[in-house]
Amino acid sequence: MLFSHDTEHALQIVVDLVNTGPPATTAEHLPDLPSLQRFVEVNRLSDARDLDADDLSATHGLRDRLHEVFRTADDKESAVRLINAIIAEARISPRLTDHDEWDWHVHYFAPGARLAEHLAAEGGIALAYVIAADELDRLRVCEAPDCSRVLVDLSRNRCRRYCDSRTCGNRMHVAAYRARQRESAAR
């Protein structure tokens, strides 16, 4: 494990958030409050309650800013500026906590923070850890030509290239296999 469990969890939430809408995907997957509530439940976000239209709007805005981090991941200075701006706008109140089935871990969002601020604090700090560990190249956009989803490559050997091995990865491997078969048959 490269990062702590809570950092990896926050990074996965960042990826899941960015991949809910354009430009990572052609469809809007957070169009309304029920979908935002499902996002909170699926990602097991603690202390995210009483969501309203402002939460949805602010979360969409944060999603766009987080996506920009992935698009500039080859430029450390730009990524640092973006991440620092995200963190600076969030009320951060680091504290140790153990809840649900999780052991002790650190929450960075201030108690009572709205959802976007919660996501900005947790996700921003997690992304800051990636940069501090000189692992910025782990932030990627899927290499499938017809996919713009993002991913964090937490594999030991940094070999993850696709957002999902069952869809994009499998599709690209089958296409490469078929191309090799056609090339072999043409000889």
Side-chain angles (χ1 to χ4, degrees):
M1 180 166 53
L2 183 64
F3 299 106
S4 66
H5 171 268
D6 48 326
T7 299
E8 288 187 8
H9 182 245
L11 290 169
Q12 187 56 53
I13 291 169
V14 167
V15 166
D16 289 351
L17 178 60
V18 170
N19 287 336
T20 63
T25 182
T26 56
E28 174 60 67
H29 296 285
L30 288 180
D32 52 27
L33 287 175
S35 62
L36 185 61
Q37 185 61 48
R38 277 191 303 281
F39 176 84
V40 166
E41 291 165 6
V42 166
N43 285 286
R44 302 169 72 188
L45 292 165
S46 60
D47 298 329
R49 297 180 189 92
D50 304 322
L51 301 176
D52 61 25
D54 291 339
D55 289 306
L56 183 61
S57 176
T59 300
H60 284 166
L62 176 63
R63 176 182 67 192
D64 296 342
R65 296 174 71 197
L66 291 169
H67 189 264
E68 192 64 25
V69 173
F70 285 84
R71 292 183 350 155
T72 63
D74 58 341
D75 176 8
K76 186 184 272 186
E77 288 73 29
S78 295
V80 166
R81 277 193 300 280
L82 290 165
I83 293 167
N84 280 341
I86 289 168
I87 293 170
E89 293 172 12
R91 289 179 300 139
I92 295 186
S93 179
R95 66 194 182 289
L96 280 166
T97 183
D98 67 336
H99 56 86
D100 302 323
E101 76 281 358
W102 304 111
D103 200 0
W104 291 104
H105 59 282
V106 179
H107 277 294
Y108 293 96
F109 61 93
R114 300 303 301 183
L115 179 61
E117 193 171 30
H118 174 145
L119 293 167
E122 298 291 318
I125 294 294
L127 290 167
Y129 280 134
V130 169
I131 290 178
D134 200 26
E135 299 287 347
L136 187 60
D137 61 334
R138 291 182 181 273
L139 304 182
R140 301 188 180 152
V141 176
C142 182
E143 290 184 20
D146 59 342
C147 185
S148 299
R149 294 172 54 94
V150 302
L151 62 112
V152 176
D153 180 2
L154 295 175
S155 67
R156 193 176 298 254
N157 62 357
R158 300 169 191 228
C159 65
R160 188 167 171 210
R161 299 171 46 204
Y162 305 110
C163 63
D164 186 349
S165 61
R166 291 176 310 231
T167 55
C168 289
N170 191 42
R171 224 171 357 102
M172 297 309 297
H173 289 99
V174 167
Y177 171 79
R178 289 181 178 159
R180 286 191 305 271
Q181 294 299 313
R182 282 191 301 272
E183 183 180 302
S184 200
R187 290 185 200 168

